[in-house]
Amino acid sequence: MYSSSAGTPIMEDWRRYVWAWLAVSTRCIHLGRNIASQIPAPQDTVALAPFLDFLNHSNEARVTTSFDLASRHFVIRTLTPYKRGCEVFISYGPHDNSFMLAEYGFVLAGNPFQGLELDHYVDAWVATARSNLVASTPGRPAAMQPSDVDHLIHTIEQRGLWRDFVLSPGDSDIPYRLHAALRLLIVAAVDPQHRRQPVSLKREIARWERWLHGEHVDDGEASIRNHAIGSWIKTTCRIIADTSTKMIDDICTFQHAQHAQHSQHAQHAQQTKRGRSVDEFLIRCLLVIWKETNAIAVGNKFYHKSQPAI
């Protein structure tokens, strides 16, 4: 796939490479370290099982899987009864559509595991908070330093609450992981002019720990924090809604342009039908993802709150 002329790797056929990678990635199974240590090439735990990819996915499927070392077979047993002649399903796992598309090559309309992934937006918010601390008023010491933000993140990581921030369609309250992280990080975003006392990281973390344990913490700034957290979530949902709306419009515009072009060049379109069908399938999958993203962003209660509160 690569040539090394002039010492520079060059991809000769990117499309074939992607096809080969997807053919393996969407069909392979992972045997696990314990199994891999008992078969050749222990560093490689990925295997292709013939006919396994003929088993379609269902969220209702319940199965057990194992690798039988004696027979060297990968064994799947269903826990769901099926009538003779009915299709048997397995579950590919509780994944959202972005994962399903990347790993298995399809999406599910109405996927119950679809949600808004907010890690990127939290990262952007943290970066803005750092920049604001760096650009604090000259001649007046900042209430916090950028390194203090890193310390707060490290504290959240130690409690196992950093990242994997997801807002699901049925959430009536802010998800716990997101709420916990924002409740501590909001310390870096509150305007110093609104503070009643200087920032003490030790005190803030201690209060946060008490909150994690279910204690009622009233530090005189609860309303400011709660308003800031609610406002951030509302703003983020609206950004996602606007972005997804634009992506949906762009995809629909592209589809219309492609259909018009193909109708004008019917003969050429017939020659490239196979490649075009793959591209059109991918576009339809992306359209499903963006539509569901938009529905979740617009449909959750935080998007419509006029006065955010926690």
Side-chain angles (χ1 to χ4, degrees), residues 15-16 21 36 83 87 93 131 135 143 147 149-151 160 178-179 200 206 211 226-227 254 267 279 304 306:
R15 197 175 190 86
R16 291 183 63 187
W21 186 89
K83 293 181 179 180
E87 181 177 2
S131 299
S147 59
V149 179
D150 297 329
H151 183 64
L178 179 63
H179 193 178
S200 166
W211 178 84
N226 290 344
H227 188 276
F254 176 79
Q267 183 177 359
D279 294 338
H304 300 283
S306 58

Side-chain angles (χ1 to χ4, degrees), residues 9 15 62 72 76 81 113 131 141 182 185 211 217 253 256:
R15 197 175 190 86
R62 298 292 180 269
R72 299 180 67 81
I76 304 176
F113 304 106
S131 299
L182 293 182
L185 289 172
W211 178 84
V217 181
T253 299
H256 293 155

Side-chain angles (χ1 to χ4, degrees), residues 76-133:
I76 304 176
R77 290 185 173 89
T78 178
L79 304 179
T80 305
Y82 290 94
K83 293 181 179 180
R84 183 184 296 273
C86 292
E87 181 177 2
V88 177
F89 294 91
I90 62 174
S91 173
Y92 295 177
H95 306 302
D96 65 14
N97 276 335
S98 295
F99 185 96
M100 296 295 282
L101 180 60
E103 293 294 325
Y104 302 116
F106 66 91
V107 298
L108 299 170
N111 189 336
F113 304 106
Q114 196 70 9
L116 302 182
E117 299 179 3
L118 302 180
D119 287 15
H120 165 74
Y121 299 94
V122 173
D123 288 343
W125 179 69
V126 169
T128 300
R130 282 199 186 98
S131 299
N132 291 339
L133 291 174

